[in-house]
């Protein structure tokens, strides 16, 4: 069965400038390349022929080049017949079609944007069928690299089999601090948890925490231990705006 790993995080509540975002992205790409060779080559998505930056992202990253790439990918909303800059959204992927491969998306939004999830970075990895566990075991350093580069408040590592909250139209969006196979919370969010009973927690030097369902590299719906641990985590996240546990 094909497996994938998704790691995403949110940070801040204000729309930073493209050069600030480019600096964060450069730090993250540098850290990823040190974790696993699959992250050693990236091909940007978006403009192909009119772009002023190379198709393949330079590594080690060149911040002005990343800044130009980000500026080429703004998105706007229309209000009273006038266009307003809503933010920037840039994405890239590893050029190899063979697994494992990865895709990366960075979104920078105004705090009062319609989706109101603010700034977000997402990394998806399609795992090798022969060895789907290696990169799952790299989840912890990837999450810590994301936290360091983006000053992330919340990060989740999800594997296939762990459910997400269903989208409900016309319902106000709450902060997406849902549970997952492994979850990072910064010091502020960690202090707002409902409780820590029955949860495997690693405390980090800066006051942040890492929570995990188990040491297993995947979440299995039919494993009673996994299900129970996921329920403990989801209940602990309830004060942060997470809904009830939903498994697919």
């Amino acid at each position: 069965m094909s497996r994938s790993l998704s790691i995403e995080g949110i940070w801040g509540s204000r729309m930073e400038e493209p050069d600030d975002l480019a600096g964060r992205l450069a730090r993250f790409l540098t850290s990823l390349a040190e974790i696993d060779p699959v992250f050693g080559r990236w091909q940007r998505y978006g403009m192909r022929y009119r772009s002023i930056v190379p198709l393949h992202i330079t590594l080690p990253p060149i911040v002005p080049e990343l800044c130009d790439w980000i500026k080429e990918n703004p998105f706007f909303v229309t209000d009273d017949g006038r266009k307003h800059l809503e933010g920037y959204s840039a994405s890239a992927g590893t050029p190899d079609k063979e697994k494992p491969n990865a895709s990366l998306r960075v979104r920078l939004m105004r705090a009062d944007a319609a989706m109101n999830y603010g700034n977000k970075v997402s990394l998806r990895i399609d795992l090798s069928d022969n060895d789907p566990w290696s990169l799952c075991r790299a989840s912890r350093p990837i999450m810590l690299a994301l936290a360091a580069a983006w000053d992330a408040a919340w990060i989740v590592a999800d594997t296939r089999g762990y459910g997400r909250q269903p989208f409900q139209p016309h319902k106000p969006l709450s902060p997406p601090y849902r549970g997952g196979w492994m979850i990072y919370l910064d010091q502020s969010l960690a202090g707002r948890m409902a409780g820590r009973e029955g949860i495997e927690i690693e405390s980090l030097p800066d006051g942040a925490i890492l929570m995990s369902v188990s040491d297993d590299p995947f979440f299995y719906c039919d494993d009673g231990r996994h299900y129970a641990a996921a329920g403990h985590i989801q209940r602990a996240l309830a004060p942060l705006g997470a809904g009830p546990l939903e498994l697919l």
Side-chain angles (χ1 to χ4, degrees):
M1 177 171 56
S2 176
R3 293 196 181 273
S4 61
L5 172 66
S6 172
I7 297 177
E8 61 184 48
I10 59 175
W11 85 97
S13 58
R14 65 182 182 87
M15 191 174 76
E16 300 181 2
E17 295 299 323
D19 53 346
D20 295 323
L21 181 60
R24 292 186 183 277
L25 181 56
R27 291 191 291 274
F28 189 46
L29 291 175
T30 299
S31 297
L32 287 178
E34 295 171 351
I35 291 172
D36 193 275
V38 72
F39 305 123
R41 296 174 64 223
W42 292 96
Q43 178 177 302
R44 59 174 178 76
Y45 298 149
M47 298 172 61
R48 291 291 183 93
Y49 305 108
R50 294 183 291 116
S51 175
I52 63 173
V53 298
L55 177 62
H56 295 277
I57 296 174
T58 305
L59 290 178
I62 299 174
V63 173
E65 183 179 289
L66 294 177
C67 186
D68 288 337
W69 175 45
I70 292 165
K71 288 179 179 178
E72 289 178 347
N73 290 275
F75 59 95
F76 300 86
V77 295
T78 302
D79 185 18
D80 293 331
R82 300 182 62 182
K83 291 175 61 177
H84 300 276
L85 177 66
E86 192 78 353
Y88 300 89
S89 180
S91 56
T94 55
D96 298 323
K97 295 183 179 180
E98 296 296 323
K99 297 180 181 179
N101 54 58
S103 59
L104 174 67
R105 183 184 180 191
V106 177
R107 187 188 66 198
L108 184 70
M109 300 182 72
R110 293 187 296 109
D112 59 346
M115 291 300 290
N116 204 27
Y117 282 177
N119 306 324
K120 182 176 181 179
V121 57
S122 303
L123 177 68
R124 176 188 167 89
I125 306 165
D126 289 323
L127 303 168
S128 169
D129 295 329
N130 296 327
D131 181 14
W133 301 278
S134 295
L135 280 166
C136 276
R137 295 191 181 101
S139 294
R140 181 183 182 277
I142 292 173
M143 294 173 78
L144 293 182
L146 193 158
W150 304 92
D151 295 320
W154 164 90
I155 306 170
V156 64
D158 241 343
T159 56
R160 184 171 177 176
Y162 192 93
R164 296 169 179 255
Q165 297 180 58
F167 174 71
Q168 301 180 38
H170 312 302
K171 180 180 179 181
L173 294 174
S174 60
Y177 304 129
R178 57 181 174 80
W181 167 58
M182 187 179 294
I183 304 94
Y184 167 95
L185 297 178
D186 69 2
Q187 183 179 25
S188 174
L189 292 182
R192 292 165 49 195
M193 286 174 53
R196 303 191 176 198
E197 296 77 14
I199 303 174
E200 183 178 334
I201 294 179
E202 176 187 356
S203 297
L204 303 175
D206 62 356
I209 62 172
L210 275 172
M211 301 183 289
S212 59
V213 168
S214 75
D215 291 331
D216 297 330
F218 295 106
F219 181 91
Y220 296 103
C221 297
D222 56 355
D223 188 314
R225 298 170 305 159
H226 289 196
Y227 193 97
H232 287 312
I233 290 174
Q234 200 73 19
R235 286 189 290 274
L237 295 176
L240 311 184
L245 177 66
E246 297 284 351
L247 294 177
L248 301 178

